Amino acid sequence: MTYLLSQTRQEDVFRSISENVGGSSDPTTFYYLLAGAAGLVVLLALISARKKRAARPRAVNHQGRLMKEILRRVPLKKSEVKHLRTVAGEQGCASPLTLILCPSVLAKGLSEKSRADRKVIMNVARKMGVVRRKTNV
Protein backbone atom coordinates (compact mmCIF):
# COMPACT_ATOMS: atom_id res chain seq x y z
CA MET A 1 0.00 0.00 0.00
CA THR A 2 2.79 2.38 0.85
CA TYR A 3 4.39 1.44 -2.40
CA LEU A 4 1.34 2.69 -4.38
CA LEU A 5 1.22 5.95 -2.54
CA SER A 6 4.86 6.59 -3.06
CA GLN A 7 4.61 6.03 -6.80
CA THR A 8 1.93 8.62 -7.48
CA ARG A 9 3.53 11.57 -9.06
CA GLN A 10 2.76 15.20 -8.60
CA GLU A 11 1.60 15.48 -12.18
CA ASP A 12 -0.99 12.75 -11.62
CA VAL A 13 -2.35 14.53 -8.59
CA PHE A 14 -2.67 17.85 -10.46
CA ARG A 15 -4.33 16.14 -13.42
CA SER A 16 -6.85 14.45 -11.11
CA ILE A 17 -7.62 17.73 -9.39
CA SER A 18 -8.11 19.58 -12.66
CA GLU A 19 -10.44 16.88 -13.97
CA ASN A 20 -12.61 17.02 -10.83
CA VAL A 21 -12.68 20.83 -10.61
CA GLY A 22 -12.74 21.67 -14.27
CA GLY A 23 -15.82 19.63 -15.11
CA SER A 24 -19.17 21.32 -15.66
CA SER A 25 -21.66 21.08 -12.81
CA ASP A 26 -25.46 21.06 -12.88
CA PRO A 27 -26.94 23.70 -10.50
CA THR A 28 -30.52 22.41 -10.73
CA THR A 29 -30.12 20.10 -7.73
CA PHE A 30 -28.88 23.07 -5.71
CA TYR A 31 -31.93 25.09 -6.80
CA TYR A 32 -34.24 22.25 -5.84
CA LEU A 33 -32.66 22.03 -2.39
CA LEU A 34 -32.89 25.81 -1.98
CA ALA A 35 -36.59 25.83 -3.02
CA GLY A 36 -37.31 22.94 -0.64
CA ALA A 37 -35.66 24.77 2.26
CA ALA A 38 -37.60 27.97 1.46
CA GLY A 39 -40.85 26.00 1.31
CA LEU A 40 -40.09 24.43 4.67
CA VAL A 41 -39.43 27.86 6.23
CA VAL A 42 -42.72 29.22 4.85
CA LEU A 43 -44.60 26.17 6.10
CA LEU A 44 -43.14 26.54 9.60
CA ALA A 45 -44.03 30.26 9.61
CA LEU A 46 -47.64 29.48 8.65
CA ILE A 47 -47.94 26.82 11.33
CA SER A 48 -46.54 29.21 13.93
CA ALA A 49 -48.98 31.95 12.90
CA ARG A 50 -51.89 29.52 13.06
CA LYS A 51 -50.94 28.39 16.56
CA LYS A 52 -50.77 32.00 17.75
CA ARG A 53 -54.14 32.79 16.20
CA ALA A 54 -55.84 29.72 17.67
CA ALA A 55 -54.40 30.37 21.13
CA ARG A 56 -55.99 33.80 21.41
CA PRO A 57 -59.57 33.61 22.72
CA ARG A 58 -62.22 35.46 20.79
CA ALA A 59 -64.12 38.24 22.50
CA VAL A 60 -67.51 36.96 23.53
CA ASN A 61 -69.00 40.28 24.52
CA HIS A 62 -68.79 43.26 22.22
CA GLN A 63 -70.10 46.55 23.56
CA GLY A 64 -71.22 47.85 20.16
CA ARG A 65 -73.13 44.65 19.39
CA LEU A 66 -74.78 44.74 22.82
CA MET A 67 -75.75 48.38 22.27
CA LYS A 68 -77.40 47.52 18.93
CA GLU A 69 -79.28 44.62 20.52
CA ILE A 70 -80.58 46.78 23.37
CA LEU A 71 -81.59 49.58 21.00
CA ARG A 72 -83.66 47.11 18.98
CA ARG A 73 -85.71 46.39 22.09
CA VAL A 74 -85.82 49.92 23.53
CA PRO A 75 -87.29 52.52 21.16
CA LEU A 76 -84.60 55.22 21.38
CA LYS A 77 -83.50 57.61 18.66
CA LYS A 78 -79.86 58.25 17.81
CA SER A 79 -80.03 61.76 19.26
CA GLU A 80 -81.37 60.35 22.53
CA VAL A 81 -78.51 57.86 22.68
CA LYS A 82 -76.07 60.70 22.04
CA HIS A 83 -77.49 62.65 25.00
CA LEU A 84 -77.35 59.50 27.12
CA ARG A 85 -73.66 59.17 26.24
CA THR A 86 -73.08 62.72 27.45
CA VAL A 87 -74.86 62.06 30.75
CA ALA A 88 -73.04 58.72 31.14
CA GLY A 89 -69.70 60.47 30.70
CA GLU A 90 -70.61 63.04 33.35
CA GLN A 91 -71.77 60.32 35.74
CA GLY A 92 -68.54 58.35 35.28
CA CYS A 93 -70.22 55.44 33.50
CA ALA A 94 -68.42 53.57 30.76
CA SER A 95 -71.46 53.26 28.52
CA PRO A 96 -74.95 54.71 28.05
CA LEU A 97 -76.19 51.15 28.56
CA THR A 98 -75.60 51.70 32.27
CA LEU A 99 -78.18 54.49 32.25
CA ILE A 100 -80.64 52.34 30.33
CA LEU A 101 -80.22 49.33 32.60
CA CYS A 102 -79.95 51.20 35.91
CA PRO A 103 -82.73 53.77 36.32
CA SER A 104 -81.29 55.10 39.59
CA VAL A 105 -78.17 56.34 37.77
CA LEU A 106 -80.39 57.93 35.12
CA ALA A 107 -82.45 59.64 37.82
CA LYS A 108 -79.25 60.91 39.44
CA GLY A 109 -78.17 62.28 36.05
CA LEU A 110 -81.50 64.05 35.72
CA SER A 111 -81.17 65.73 39.10
CA GLU A 112 -77.69 67.11 38.39
CA LYS A 113 -76.81 69.89 35.97
CA SER A 114 -75.75 68.41 32.65
CA ARG A 115 -74.53 69.50 29.22
CA ALA A 116 -77.10 67.20 27.65
CA ASP A 117 -80.54 68.48 26.75
CA ARG A 118 -82.72 68.00 29.83
CA LYS A 119 -85.91 67.65 27.73
CA VAL A 120 -84.46 64.76 25.73
CA ILE A 121 -83.22 62.97 28.85
CA MET A 122 -86.63 63.43 30.51
CA ASN A 123 -88.29 61.96 27.42
CA VAL A 124 -85.95 58.92 27.63
CA ALA A 125 -86.76 58.56 31.33
CA ARG A 126 -90.48 58.63 30.53
CA LYS A 127 -90.06 55.96 27.86
CA MET A 128 -88.29 53.76 30.38
CA GLY A 129 -90.84 54.45 33.12
CA VAL A 130 -88.41 56.19 35.50
CA VAL A 131 -90.35 59.47 35.47
CA ARG A 132 -94.07 59.88 34.97
CA ARG A 133 -95.89 62.72 33.33
CA LYS A 134 -97.43 65.19 35.70
CA THR A 135 -101.19 65.19 35.60
CA ASN A 136 -103.18 68.28 36.50
CA VAL A 137 -105.86 67.09 38.87
Coordinates of all heavy atoms in Angstrom, one line a residue, residues 59-67:
A59 N -63.3 37.4 21.6 CA -64.1 38.2 22.5 C -65.6 37.8 22.4 O -66.1 37.7 21.3 CB -64.0 39.7 22.2
V60 N -66.1 37.4 23.5 CA -67.5 37.0 23.5 C -68.5 38.2 23.6 O -69.5 38.2 22.9 CB -67.7 36.0 24.7 CG1 -69.2 35.6 24.8 CG2 -66.8 34.8 24.7
N61 N -68.1 39.1 24.4 CA -69.0 40.3 24.5 C -68.4 41.5 23.8 O -67.2 41.8 23.9 CB -69.1 40.7 26.0 CG -69.8 39.5 26.8 OD1 -70.6 38.8 26.3 ND2 -69.4 39.4 28.0
H62 N -69.2 42.1 23.0 CA -68.8 43.3 22.2 C -69.8 44.4 22.6 O -71.0 44.2 22.4 CB -68.8 43.0 20.7 CG -68.2 44.0 19.9 ND1 -68.9 45.1 19.4 CD2 -66.9 44.2 19.5 CE1 -68.1 45.9 18.7 NE2 -66.9 45.3 18.8
Q63 N -69.2 45.5 23.1 CA -70.1 46.6 23.6 C -71.0 47.1 22.5 O -72.1 47.4 22.7 CB -69.2 47.6 24.2 CG -70.1 48.6 25.0 CD -69.2 49.6 25.7 OE1 -68.0 49.6 25.7 NE2 -69.8 50.5 26.5
G64 N -70.4 47.3 21.3 CA -71.2 47.8 20.2 C -72.4 46.9 19.8 O -73.5 47.4 19.5
R65 N -72.1 45.6 19.7 CA -73.1 44.6 19.4 C -74.2 44.6 20.5 O -75.4 44.5 20.2 CB -72.5 43.3 19.3 CG -73.5 42.2 18.7 CD -72.8 40.9 18.5 NE -71.8 41.0 17.5 CZ -70.9 40.1 17.3 NH1 -70.8 39.1 18.1 NH2 -70.0 40.3 16.3
L66 N -73.8 44.7 21.7 CA -74.8 44.7 22.8 C -75.6 46.0 22.7 O -76.9 45.9 22.9 CB -74.1 44.7 24.2 CG -74.9 44.7 25.4 CD1 -75.9 43.5 25.4 CD2 -74.1 44.8 26.7
M67 N -75.0 47.1 22.4 CA -75.8 48.4 22.3 C -76.8 48.3 21.2 O -78.0 48.7 21.3 CB -74.8 49.5 22.0 CG -75.4 50.9 21.9 SD -75.8 51.4 23.6 CE -76.1 53.1 23.3

